[in-house]
Amino acid sequence: MTQTVEALSLSIETVLGDALAQSFVRLGELTLIIKSQHYAAAMLALRDHPECRFEQLIDLCGMDYSGFGGEGEWDAARFAVVVHLLSVSNNQRVRVRVFCPDEDLPVVASMVDIWPAANWFEREAFDLYGIVFEGHPDLRRILTDYGFIGHPFRKDFPLSGNVEMRYDPTQRRVIYQPVSIEPREIVPRIVRDESYGAGR
C-alpha cells in the first residue's frame, strides 16, 4: 500500500535529520531542500534506506533564481540543482533541491556514483548553467559547441549571445565572429485608434 505524502514526509525527515533544511508538500508533491554539505550523504540515504528506496533518478536540472520573486524578495542562493526521484518499490516520488553556496563558482556533489543516469543530466546543467558537479567522471559541454562562451540558461546571458559561428567556404572551416544581429526591441508596440473598442 502506498504511503500518503504526509507520512512519507515524516519518514524522510526522520531518515535525513540535520541534512534536511526544509520540506513541504505543494499540489500533492513532496519537495525536500537539502543542505549542500550533506547532499551526497542525504541522496545515498534516499536511495538505500528501507523507508525511502528511491531507486531511480528521473530528472536532474539546474536553476537560476536570479531576480526570482521580484527585487529584494529572494534571499536564498542564486543557483540550485533540482532532482526528481522515483521509488518503484514504494510507488512514491520526491523532488530534491540543493542550493549552490557560492554564486561565483556554483559547486555541488555529483550523483553519478549513486545513480549513473545523472551523468548526462549533470553535464547539461554544467553546460547551460555553469554548475560544477564535484566528482563527475567526464564533466564537459554536451549541448553547446566546445568553443562556446558562457552558459546560455543563466538569466544574465545576452539573448543574442556573445559570438556566432558559421562555415566559411574560403577558409573551409567553421569560424567564430562577433554577433551580427542588431539589438532590437522585442516587445510589440500596439497602436490603436482612440475609438477602438467603442460601441461594444
Side-chain angles (χ1 to χ4, degrees):
M1 187 170 116
T2 305
Q3 276 183 301
T4 64
V5 177
E6 290 76 14
L8 176 66
S9 178
L10 290 172
S11 296
I12 288 175
E13 284 177 25
T14 305
V15 170
L16 297 184
D18 291 341
L20 187 64
Q22 183 185 2
S23 69
F24 54 90
V25 176
R26 193 169 294 144
L27 300 174
E29 296 180 358
L30 177 62
T31 299
L32 311 171
I33 299 179
I34 305 291
K35 296 175 184 172
S36 61
Q37 65 269 29
H38 302 295
Y39 178 49
M43 295 301 260
L44 192 60
L46 287 172
R47 186 193 69 180
D48 295 343
H49 196 281
E51 290 183 36
C52 302
R53 292 195 294 182
F54 289 98
E55 305 98 347
Q56 287 189 356
L57 181 142
I58 298 172
D59 188 25
L60 181 149
C61 67
M63 295 289 293
D64 181 356
Y65 286 97
S66 175
F68 181 74
E71 194 64 37
E73 292 182 30
W74 184 253
D75 60 351
R78 175 178 174 183
F79 295 104
V81 173
V82 179
V83 183
H84 290 93
L85 301 176
L86 170 66
S87 171
V88 176
S89 307
N90 296 328
N91 191 24
Q92 293 285 2
R93 293 174 186 263
V94 70
R95 177 185 302 113
V96 178
R97 185 180 303 143
V98 60
F99 287 95
C100 306
D102 186 359
E103 183 178 316
D104 295 326
L105 181 62
V107 179
V108 295
S110 174
M111 294 295 106
V112 173
D113 290 342
I114 300 173
W115 293 283
N119 189 338
W120 283 15
F121 290 122
E122 289 180 352
R123 285 182 59 190
E124 181 183 58
F126 165 70
D127 192 0
L128 301 178
Y129 291 96
I131 298 170
V132 175
F133 293 88
E134 196 169 31
H136 191 285
D138 186 23
L139 195 62
R140 59 191 162 100
R141 292 190 181 273
I142 191 169
L143 295 174
T144 60
D145 185 65
Y146 292 122
F148 192 87
I149 298 167
H151 304 283
F153 277 20
R154 287 187 174 193
K155 290 185 180 175
D156 55 4
F157 189 82
L159 288 177
S160 60
N162 295 312
V163 295
E164 63 186 29
M165 60 184 244
R166 66 176 178 83
Y167 180 76
D168 187 328
T170 58
Q171 296 182 39
R172 302 172 81 182
R173 65 180 182 92
V174 172
I175 62 166
Y176 293 90
Q177 63 189 37
V179 177
S180 61
I181 300 170
E182 291 291 324
R184 59 190 170 103
E185 189 176 316
I186 59 172
V187 179
R189 201 175 114 219
I190 299 171
V191 179
R192 293 194 175 119
D193 295 333
E194 288 182 27
S195 61
Y196 179 81
R200 287 188 178 191

